[in-house]
C-alpha cells in the first residue's frame, strides 16, 4: 500500500519550537515525532510513502533519507509555495505508483494515533467507498473538522472549524487520516491551492460520492499545541499509546543516553530528558520535555513544559505550561505563568516574573 504524508504546515501554534524545526520533526519520547507515525504505517503494511513538504522542506529528507531505516520507501515532494492540504495531496499523487482503483492512505503529520490502519484500508476496499475518513469523538470539537454521519456511517457533511455554536451538530471530528481511492485524488484540480477540508470533502458530498466515516475508540491526539505536545510525549513514555519506534513503556520518565540527572532530582509524569541535558540537585521535572543539551538548575521546578535545546533554567525558577525556545535563559527566582512562551535565545532576568503573590 502507498501513502501520502502531509508535513508542509508551519506549526504556528508551537512557536518558537517550530521556528527552526518543523512540527513533525520535534522530538517526542526521544525521537522525531514522525518516526512514530512512519513506524506505525510500516507495521500496517504501507511500503511506500510520498512525503509532501513545504516549510523547512529539506530537513525531512536529512532526517529520514530513503526510509530504509524504517523498512519503508520514502520520496519527498516540495511545494514551492504551500498548496494547502488538498493541493498537497494532488501534487504528491503525481509520484504514486498505484492504479486508479487502489487505496491510498493519507495522513496529517501531527497525529499520534492508535487506529488500526490496515483495518481502515481493508474496510475501505470492502465498502467500495470513494473516501474513508477516520473519525474521533471529542468533548470539544470546535478546533477541528466536524463530520456527522448517518446510521450506516455515510458522511453527511464536513464543516471545518465551525464559527458559531449552531454549527456544532456532532461531536465527531476528522481525525486527520483518510483512505482515498486513487482516482478520487486525481480529480482534485492540479497546480493550485486547495483545502481538502474546506473544498474537496464538501464538493465530494454535493457530488453524491460515497464518503464513509469510521469512528473508533483508539488513542488519538493532535500534537499541534504545546499542551498536546507534552501530553503526547508523556503518553508515549508511559505506554498509554504504543509505538513500534519505542522498545516499550519506559516507566514514569525517559532519560536518554548522555543526559545527567542528579540522584536527588525527581522526574515523573512521562518526562523526557534528552541527550546532553542536565537536571540539577533537588529539581522537579513533571510531564515535560527537556530537549537536548538543556540545563535545569538545582531546585528548579518544571511542570507540563517544553525546554528547548540548550536552554537554561536557573535555580528556584518554576515553569508551569511554558514553552522555552532553543537557547533561551530564564534566570533564577522566576515563576512563569501558564501559556507563556519564551523566544529562542531570549533572556529573562532574575526575579523578573512572579505569578503568585508572596505570602
Ligand atoms: N504539504 C503541505 N502543504 N502540508 C500542509 C499544508 C500545505 O500547504 N498545510 C497544512 N499541511 C499539513 C500540516 O503540516 C499538518 O500535518 C496537516 O497538514 C494538518 O494541518 P494542521 O495545521 O495541523 O491542521 P489542524 O490541526 O488545524 O486541522 C486538521 O487536522 C484536524 C485533526 O487533527 C484538519 O484536517 C481538521 O479537519 C482535523 O480535524
Ligand atoms: Mg493539526
Amino acid at each position: 500500500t502507498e501513502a501520502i504524508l502531509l508535513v508542509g504546515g508551519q506549526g504556528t501554534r508551537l512557536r518558537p519550537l517550530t521556528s527552526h524545526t518543523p512540527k513533525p520533526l520535534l522530538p517526542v519520547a526521544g525521537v522525531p515525532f514522525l518516526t512514530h507515525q512512519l513506524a506505525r504505517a510500516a507495521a500496517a503494511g504501507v511500503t511506500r510513502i510520498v512525503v509532501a513538504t513545504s516549510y523547512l522542506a529539506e530537513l525531512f529528507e536529512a532526517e529520514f533519507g530513503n526510509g530504509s531505516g524504517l523498512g519503508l520507501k520514502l520520496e519527498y515532494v516540495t511545494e514551492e509555495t504551500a498548496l494547502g492540504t488538498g493541493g498537497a495531496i494532488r501534487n504528491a499523487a503525481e509520484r504514486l505508483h498505484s492504479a486508479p482503483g487502489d487505496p491510498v492512505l493519507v495522513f496529517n503529520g501531527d497525529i499520534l494515533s492508535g487506529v488500526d490502519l490496515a483495518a481502515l484500508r481493508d474496510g475501505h476496499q470492502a465498502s467500495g467507498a470513494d473516501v474513508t475518513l477516520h473519525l474521533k469523538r471529542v468533548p470539544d470539537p470546535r478546533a477541528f473538522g466536524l463530520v456527522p454521519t448517518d446510521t450506516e456511517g455515510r458522511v453527511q457533511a464536513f464543516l471545518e472549524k465551525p464559527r458559531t455554536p449552531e454549527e456544532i451538530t456532532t461531536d465527531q471530528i476528522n481525525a486527520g487520516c483518510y483512505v482515498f481511492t486513487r482516482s478520487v485524488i486525481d480529480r482534485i484540480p492540479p497546480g493550485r491551492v486547495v483545502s481538502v477540508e474546506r473544498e474537496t470533502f464538501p464538493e465530494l458530498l454535493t457530488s453524491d460520492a460515497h464518503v464513509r466515516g469510521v469512528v473508533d475508540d483508539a488513542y488519538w491526539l493532535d500534537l499541534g499545541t504545546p499542551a498536546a505536545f507534552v501530553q503526547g510525549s508523556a503518553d508515549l513514555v508511559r505506554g498509554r499509546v504504543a509505538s513500534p519506534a519505542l522498545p516499550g513503556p519506559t516507566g514514569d520518565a525517559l532519560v536518554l543516553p548522555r543526559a545527567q540527572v542528579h540522584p536527588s532530582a525527581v522526574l515523573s509524569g512521562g518526562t523526557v530528558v534528552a541527550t546532553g541535558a542536565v537536571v540539577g540537585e533537588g529539581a522537579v521535572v513533571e510531564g515535560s520535555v527537556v530537549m537536548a543539551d538543556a540545563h535545569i538548575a538545582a531546585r528548579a521546578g518544571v511542570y507540563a513544559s517544553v525546554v528547548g535545546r540548550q536552554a537554561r533554567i536557573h535555580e528556584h525558577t518554576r515553569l508551569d505550561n511554558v514553552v522555552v525556545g532553543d537557547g533561551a535563559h530564564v534566570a533564577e527566582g522566576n515563576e512563569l505563568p501558564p501559556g507563556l512562551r519564551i523566544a529562542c535565545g531570549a533572556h529573562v532576568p532574575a526575579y523578573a516574573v512572579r505569578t503568585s503573590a508572596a505570602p
Side-chain angles (χ1 to χ4, degrees):
T1 308
E2 287 185 303
I4 293 170
L5 184 59
L6 300 174
V7 295
Q10 300 199 6
T12 45
R13 289 167 298 175
L14 279 175
R15 279 184 198 148
L17 297 172
T18 45
S19 26
H20 310 103
T21 309
K23 170 166 64 173
L25 294 184
L26 290 173
V28 172
V31 294
F33 172 67
L34 222 46
T35 317
H36 303 289
Q37 244 185 346
L38 292 172
R40 281 183 43 77
V46 172
T47 50
R48 194 165 171 275
I49 301 185
V50 182
V51 184
T53 65
S54 173
Y55 178 66
L56 300 174
E58 60 289 350
L59 299 183
F60 290 92
E61 186 160 8
E63 182 66 47
F64 296 109
N66 66 8
S68 57
L70 290 157
L72 285 165
K73 291 198 174 70
L74 296 180
E75 274 207 44
Y76 304 85
V77 290
T78 302
E79 300 147 36
E80 295 273 306
T81 55
L83 288 172
T85 46
I89 294 168
R90 176 66 174 84
N91 187 55
E94 308 273 343
R95 307 281 280 273
L96 295 174
H97 297 160
S98 307
D102 289 345
V104 176
L105 282 158
V106 177
F107 304 101
N108 286 353
D110 60 349
I111 304 297
L112 183 59
S113 161
V115 70
D116 184 340
L117 295 169
L120 205 65
R121 176 200 54 213
D122 296 345
H124 174 82
Q125 287 294 83
S127 72
D130 294 300
V131 190
T132 298
L133 283 73
H134 175 217
L135 307 180
K136 199 67 204 161
R137 289 209 165 86
V138 296
D140 181 1
R142 285 175 298 176
F144 302 101
L146 267 57
V147 189
T149 48
D150 68 13
T151 46
E152 271 116 60
R154 274 185 179 253
V155 171
Q156 294 172 307
F158 193 110
L159 180 62
E160 182 69 10
K161 302 191 178 107
R163 296 229 182 85
T164 62
E166 299 79 63
E167 291 177 318
I168 301 170
T169 55
T170 178
D171 62 353
Q172 288 178 185
I173 60 143
N174 168 27
C177 170
Y178 323 117
V179 190
F180 275 85
T181 298
R182 163 77 197 264
S183 58
V184 177
I185 298 179
D186 294 337
R187 296 205 290 271
I188 298 174
R192 69 168 176 90
V193 177
V194 179
S195 163
V196 79
E197 297 91 350
R198 295 180 194 275
E199 296 169 66
T200 310
F201 290 136
E203 282 164 19
L204 281 169
L205 292 169
T206 51
S207 79
D208 239 29
H210 181 187
V211 183
R212 282 171 75 237
V214 175
V215 188
D216 79 347
D217 293 328
Y219 180 98
W220 184 88
L221 195 63
D222 173 329
L223 270 66
T225 63
F229 179 76
V230 290
Q231 161 125 40
S233 182
D235 286 347
L236 278 162
V237 169
R238 289 177 295 185
R240 298 193 177 171
V241 52
S243 168
L246 292 178
T250 26
D252 228 20
L254 173 62
V255 178
L256 294 172
R258 295 190 307 287
Q260 295 171 49
V261 177
H262 192 279
S264 68
V266 180
L267 308 180
S268 66
T271 285
V272 179
V273 180
T275 300
V278 176
V279 180
E281 185 178 349
V284 175
V285 187
E286 191 180 294
S288 295
V289 177
V290 179
M291 293 192 183
D293 304 311
H295 278 232
I296 312 290
R299 285 166 293 280
V302 176
Y303 303 87
S305 294
V306 185
V307 180
R309 286 174 293 182
Q310 295 178 4
R312 302 182 85 96
I313 309 302
H314 291 262
E315 292 204 6
H316 300 291
T317 276
R318 187 187 154 99
L319 318 180
D320 190 351
N321 265 286
V322 169
V323 176
V324 181
D326 294 345
H329 283 216
V330 184
E332 65 172 5
N334 283 291
E335 204 170 294
L336 304 184
L340 194 70
R341 292 153 194 247
I342 311 288
C344 297
H347 284 235
V348 179
Y351 298 95
V353 186
R354 307 288 296 173
T355 34
S356 51

